[in-house]
């Protein structure tokens, strides 16, 4: 590679889009109730990736995940005890908790949200319906 193209590649790497693996996709849930405050990158939960592998009820009934981004008080003690993500990320059903960066992969400061949800782009969102 010429010195000039190396400089171009170098400049590209400094662009925000190339800043590193902040990998949220459409429908991913960013969970950041505690991570930022604890100095960890927020968590990206790839919802579609899991939905195609498991029934809704496996998580939302059996494991008690509430249907709300950030609506569960998840922490590492609970995960290591086998609750929430830890019911599967235990080295048996899926890789285990020592892989911190696999889950804590969002850009620091990303708020709890459903990434790229169309609702975030509405200028006049509908009034939330009361939950049953
Ligand atoms: C399977 C996914 C997963 C893995 C792997 C994982 N975490 Fe977490 N962690 C979470 C989730 C989900 C939360 C809750 C996030 C929030 O609300 O901010 C969390 C929260 C935390 C918190 C803040 C709450 C607390 O318990 O203090 C810390 C600190 C943390 N993780 C550290 C780690 C470290 C260190 C590792 C690796 C040894 C790790 N995590 C691996 C999913 C994971
Ligand atoms: C592997 C576990 C898992 C499976 C399977 C799963 N979900 Fe989820 N779901 C979650 C987690 C985790 C969250 C985020 C909870 C949080 O942030 O605390 C979530 C969040 C949601 C939300 C709330 C999003 C928002 O706007 O706040 C809805 C709705 C939802 N899931 C529906 C479904 C449906 C429908 C299915 C089946 C087609 C399904 N889920 C399958 C784990 C799962
Ligand atoms: C019902 C079981 C189950 C639960 C609950 C669960 N996972 Fe997973 N997860 C899996 C399986 C299975 C895989 C695929 C593992 C593999 O490829 O070896 C996976 C993979 C992942 C991946 C990697 C996706 C990819 O593109 O390779 C991430 C990130 C992840 N999980 C985060 C989480 C977080 C965060 C939670 C809790 C909020 C969670 N998971 C809860 C079963 C689960």
């Amino acid at each position: 590679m010429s010195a000039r193209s190396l400089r171009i590649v170098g400049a590209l790497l400094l662009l925000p889009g190339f800043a590193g693996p902040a990998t949220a996709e459409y429908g991913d849930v960013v969970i950041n109730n505690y991570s930022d405050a604890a100095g960890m990158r927020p968590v990206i939960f790839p919802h579609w990736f899991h939905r195609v592998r498991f029934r809704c009820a496996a998580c939302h009934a059996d494991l008690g995940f509430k249907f709300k981004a950030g609506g569960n008080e998840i922490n590492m003690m609970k995960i290591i005890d086998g609750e929430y993500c830890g019911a599967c990320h235990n080295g048996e059903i899926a890789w285990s908790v020592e892989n911190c960066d696999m889950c804590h992969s969002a850009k620091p400061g990303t708020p709890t949200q459903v990434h790229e949800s169309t609702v975030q782009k509405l200028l006049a969102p509908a009034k939330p319906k009361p939950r049953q």
Side-chain angles (χ1 to χ4, degrees):
M1 223 186 269
S2 72
R4 189 180 129 82
S5 52
L6 271 180
R7 267 201 310 277
I8 292 170
V9 170
L12 276 178
L13 290 174
L14 295 176
L15 289 175
F18 289 80
T23 51
E25 291 172 11
Y26 178 79
D28 288 353
V29 179
V30 177
I31 309 176
N32 189 5
N33 291 329
Y34 311 112
S35 298
D36 262 341
M40 288 296 289
R41 295 172 73 169
V43 170
I44 297 176
F45 174 69
H47 203 230
W48 282 109
F49 179 96
H50 289 85
R51 278 173 70 161
V52 298
R53 287 171 172 75
F54 299 95
R55 288 172 304 113
C56 315
C59 292
H60 289 293
D62 302 354
L63 298 177
F65 278 106
K66 298 200 178 83
F67 287 106
K68 187 174 191 316
N72 297 277
E73 286 161 20
I74 308 172
N75 62 40
M76 292 315 294
M77 287 293 273
K78 294 179 184 172
I79 290 177
I80 289 162
D81 277 351
E83 291 180 58
Y84 297 112
C85 321
C88 299
H89 288 278
N90 55 12
E92 289 170 28
I93 299 171
W95 41 262
S96 71
V97 284
E98 32 312 347
N99 302 290
C100 317
D101 299 347
M102 287 290 286
C103 294
H104 291 276
S105 66
K107 255 181 30 200
T110 311
T112 297
Q113 59 177 298
V114 181
H115 189 79
E116 297 274 300
S117 155
T118 46
V119 172
Q120 287 160 19
K121 300 190 173 115
L122 293 174
L123 295 174
K127 268 231 221 73
K129 292 194 193 75
R131 297 206 176 231
Q132 280 87 22

